[in-house]
Amino acid sequence: MLFLQRRYGSEQGPPALRDGIAKTFYNGMVAGEEVFVSDGSKCDIGRLQWIFGADTTVAVQDPSYPVYVDSSVMLGRTGHHNGSQFDGVTYMPCTAENNFFPDLSKTPRTDVMFICSPNNPTGAAATRQQLTELVAFAKKNGSVIVYDAAYALYISNPDCPKSIYEIPGAHEVAIETCSFSKYAGFTGVRLGWTVVPKALKFSDGTPVWNDWNRVMSTIFNGSSNIVQAGGLACLSGEGYKEMMDMVQFYKENATILRNAFLEMGFTVYGGTDAPYVWVGFPGKKSWDVFADILANCDIVTTPGSGFGPAGEGFVRASAFGSRENVLEAVERFKKAFGNK
């Protein structure tokens, strides 16, 4: 009855769900009142821009999820597009040469840094050492890390944290956003959350939590009461097991795709700690590869250049599909590209 009454709910989410998320996914690393329930990570990333302002400087992984750059553009924070990227944004190349993580020794100071792990689209998960260096970098420079952990449950490598708050000091420099979309198939019904630690403060000592609470209370009426009830069910013993079973299913799909591309002789990344497989086509434009695959296989992939300049020459293959469709896709790929 808590969720289904016909009235406005709490903009921050009901205490039972906030506490459940804190307990289930963070094991005491954050308090329930630091968890803000929402309609998904993508929406929260856009709303987070409100608390930073148009004069804020930003850095993004390259390649990365487009919303980090696009929401900055919409806020008027950037210059014009110069043909490959937007002026006024610091693009941090994340390629095989640097293990798909920014070279912080070559990264200038910015106010905000957008980091996604496991990364969409490369599928690379940041290691404990990489995140430790990132937190130290942010502390030194007075930067805020916006950490997108939407695929954290797909991490199998014990050396890759599922939350940035596993790193000492992260509570003082990082906001973490996450979602039920890729955990429980809530992509269409929309349910996620953002963690804003009370230890995170602006340069004048004001808690960022205060401003985020104001933003959520002003321009958001709370997620659907019905879908929040579904989220709470996911945190029950049975619900969590079902959720993990689904994650495992998609991880198996990713393994099938990864192995198929490797067998065909492609250079492949990701697919082990993430539901995405990053496939290289050296010397070819991503959109040309996309068109070839569509024409020869009737399969839609995602051109890597859509995620940033460093994505050129790659396409992203997704494990989110039925087993039947994934196996059919593999057969089509092998028929068209097996003699690469």
Side-chain angles (χ1 to χ4, degrees):
M1 294 300 294
L2 171 66
F3 294 97
L4 301 182
Q5 42 194 322
R6 291 174 292 177
R7 63 172 178 77
Y8 289 116
S10 169
E11 296 92 346
Q12 302 84 0
L17 183 54
R18 299 174 79 185
D19 291 342
I21 289 171
K23 179 180 178 181
T24 303
F25 297 111
Y26 297 97
N27 194 28
M29 290 186 292
V30 303
E33 64 181 348
E34 296 175 314
V35 176
F36 290 78
V37 178
S38 71
D39 52 349
S41 291
K42 183 177 183 179
C43 303
D44 278 352
I45 289 165
R47 284 187 287 258
L48 279 168
Q49 302 282 24
W50 286 57
I51 67 174
F52 297 130
D55 295 331
T56 302
T57 55
V58 298
V60 301
Q61 288 175 288
D62 177 22
S64 65
Y65 190 43
V67 70
Y68 313 137
V69 171
D70 292 350
S71 57
S72 296
V73 172
M74 293 171 69
L75 198 65
R77 187 180 289 148
T78 72
H80 295 291
H81 195 274
N82 60 29
S84 62
Q85 60 192 39
F86 281 95
D87 296 328
V89 175
T90 296
Y91 289 79
M92 302 180 289
C94 295
T95 63
E97 287 69 28
N98 61 7
N99 295 315
F100 296 102
F101 196 79
D103 183 345
L104 299 177
S105 68
K106 299 178 181 178
T107 301
R109 184 225 173 257
T110 58
D111 298 313
V112 179
M113 304 177 72
F114 288 97
I115 301 291
C116 179
S117 178
N119 179 267
N120 178 12
T122 67
T127 66
R128 192 170 303 278
Q129 180 62 35
Q130 288 172 333
L131 292 181
T132 298
E133 293 173 0
L134 177 67
V135 168
F137 182 85
K139 276 192 168 186
K140 176 184 176 182
N141 291 305
S143 303
V144 174
I145 301 165
V146 176
Y147 191 77
D148 186 346
Y151 306 97
L153 282 189
Y154 289 82
I155 294 175
S156 300
N157 187 343
D159 189 44
C160 298
K162 291 183 172 66
S163 169
I164 197 169
Y165 301 123
E166 294 182 36
I167 307 302
H171 293 75
E172 300 171 16
V173 296
I175 294 169
E176 182 169 297
T177 182
C178 202
S179 171
F180 282 97
S181 289
K182 305 306 188 294
Y183 292 179
F186 278 30
T187 310
V189 296
R190 310 304 304 160
L191 188 66
W193 68 89
T194 290
V195 178
V196 181
K198 292 196 171 182
L200 176 63
K201 299 180 180 180
F202 292 111
S203 58
D204 65 358
T206 304
V208 175
W209 188 98
N210 292 357
D211 281 17
W212 183 238
N213 185 57
R214 183 181 182 187
V215 167
M216 294 298 280
S217 299
T218 303
I219 62 173
F220 185 59
N221 272 338
S223 299
S224 158
N225 290 333
I226 296 173
V227 74
Q228 289 188 78
L232 195 58
C234 289
L235 303 181
S236 68
E238 182 179 356
Y240 189 80
K241 179 183 180 302
E242 290 291 328
M243 195 161 54
M244 292 305 298
D245 286 347
M246 193 184 81
V247 168
Q248 183 58 37
F249 177 84
Y250 289 131
K251 282 177 67 69
E252 291 169 0
N253 277 355
T255 298
I256 292 170
L257 290 170
R258 175 184 170 84
N259 290 343
F261 282 111
L262 287 172
E263 290 170 8
M264 287 186 283
F266 288 94
T267 300
V268 181
Y269 304 98
T272 55
D273 293 304
Y276 298 124
V277 179
W278 192 235
V279 187
F281 289 78
K284 296 184 178 182
K285 296 288 187 180
S286 296
W287 278 101
D288 292 340
V289 176
F290 163 84
D292 286 345
I293 294 174
L294 182 62
N296 294 312
C297 303
D298 288 323
I299 293 173
V300 174
T301 55
T302 308
S305 57
F307 297 97
E312 187 64 87
F314 287 85
V315 295
R316 189 197 71 178
S318 171
F320 293 119
S322 69
R323 184 61 46 79
E324 179 183 5
N325 283 349
V326 168
L327 293 174
E328 173 65 22
V330 165
E331 290 305 311
R332 295 185 189 183
F333 277 127
K334 288 182 175 179
K335 183 178 180 180
F337 297 97
N339 296 318
K340 183 183 80 73

